[in-house]
Amino acid sequence: MTNKMWGGRFASGPAAIMEEINASIDFDKRLSAQDIAGSRAHCEMLARTGIIDREDASVILKGLDTIASEIEAGNFEYSRALEDIHMNIEARLAALAGPVAGKLHTARSRNDQVATDFKLYIREALLHLEGLLHDLQRELAQKALLHAATVMPGFTHLQSAQPVTFGHHCLAYVEMFARDRSRFADARKRADECPLGAAALAGTSFPIDREQTAKALGFSGPAANSLDAVSDRDFVLEALSGASITAVHLSRLAEEIVVWSSPGFGLVKLSDAFTTGSSIMPQKRNPDAAELVRAKTGAVFGAFTQLLIVMKGLPLAYSKDMQEDKVPAFTALDTLSLMLAAMSGMVGDLEPDKEAMAKAAGEGYSTATDLADWLVRNLDMPFREAHGVTGKIVALAESSAIALENVPLGDMQKIESGITDDVFSVLSVEDSVKSRTSFGGTAPSNVRKMAQKWIKRLESDPTSG
């Protein structure tokens, strides 16, 4: 049988396999709220401009309210034969309102309709992700304040480098996630033009008021070019790009949690809430939540790449290829939402082992740079020369299997006669971190100040990084 939604051009219905590949209702039904919102705004505009009668508009709006209630209650019957959420709602509206329902599609197309629906969805999703990032930043900032003076090893190349504080390390991720929030906020700004009214691709001859519909839907204004309005998916790509960078940051933190919680490091502990056991090894406590955050990053990257490939060769304006934008976006943004929630839980749950951290912080001659800096300050030695002297003292300590601060003064003086016993005031890990008072440094006083600043900022402005 013919599909009534396509009109008289088609004498018969699609082949079964065509219906299978063409239908999108299985996934785009989650745009129902946005589709109804767009239809309401469009209907009210049509009535206000006199394109349809007020009485007809009232009937249509009442039908849309009924459909919204049915969907919310779980009583709406979706049909794959009707392809997508737009046709499903339109068909139900026709059943409720009769022929007058057909007036709703005046001066619009599914092309501008789906672009509007999806843009509304992406904007809401980005705002949701900003909120989750805010929660994670707050957990990290509070942990940073609590552990502003908790010394731990700082690494480069995953080798012991210089002592830092755990609080300072937490604040590094606060900064990363602030950039992520700003990217999402910027993406929302660039998704602030409404496609509705662009129709199929060329606009419409009806005297519509696109400013009215844009305002009703929360946009700053209408998209300026009808071709671009229906064919643009930059707002999805930008959301997925930002999501991918956020996923990178989450995966890096997850990797550190996995490494830190392993017996070889033993720097942090997770409770039963975010670990699992082994079916055969009773002693195991596996950081599965962190491992899954790390692994799920691939789904986010994959979605971004998939949509880039879909869009890369499309001529203007709309092509059916663009139907394939939704599943990757839904998958990626849902996945990232779960990752953020899990990471917030892990950060709140995570407890550093202060004793183990302090011990590890002193390993690997991590205060060697402090020794070199002492030589520069006290002996007016060029840093490169001080670097060489320090390297010789480290080699001596290593050959004697002793810590740097335990090298006898006399042995140091054999390498550099100007060294005095004051040098020992800079060789402990505690003294090392206290000395790093430059802006952005790891000194506990710096960390406390910055953590407090972030906590205050997050409490006063929960919607922007």
Side-chain angles (χ1 to χ4, degrees), residues 344-363:
S344 288
M346 276 188 287
V347 169
D349 181 73
L350 183 149
E351 286 298 329
D353 186 326
K354 294 182 180 181
E355 186 176 336
M357 280 189 168
K359 182 176 183 296
E363 294 176 349

Side-chain angles (χ1 to χ4, degrees), residues 71-138:
I71 292 174
E72 187 175 352
N75 298 326
F76 189 89
E77 293 186 10
Y78 297 99
S79 169
R80 299 187 89 249
L82 293 171
E83 297 184 31
D84 55 35
I85 187 60
H86 323 296
M87 290 305 193
N88 270 264
I89 289 176
E90 186 171 332
R92 179 57 179 152
L93 184 62
L96 291 169
V100 71
K103 295 186 177 183
L104 176 61
H105 209 55
T106 305
R108 77 173 183 184
S109 162
R110 278 192 296 178
N111 294 355
D112 61 337
Q113 193 176 354
V114 66
T116 302
D117 292 356
F118 203 20
K119 189 170 281 192
L120 286 169
Y121 176 87
I122 291 294
R123 283 161 55 89
E124 293 165 11
L126 291 175
L127 194 60
H128 173 67
L129 291 171
E130 285 182 62
L132 291 174
L133 280 164
H134 166 273
D135 294 344
L136 178 52
Q137 284 182 292
R138 182 182 58 204

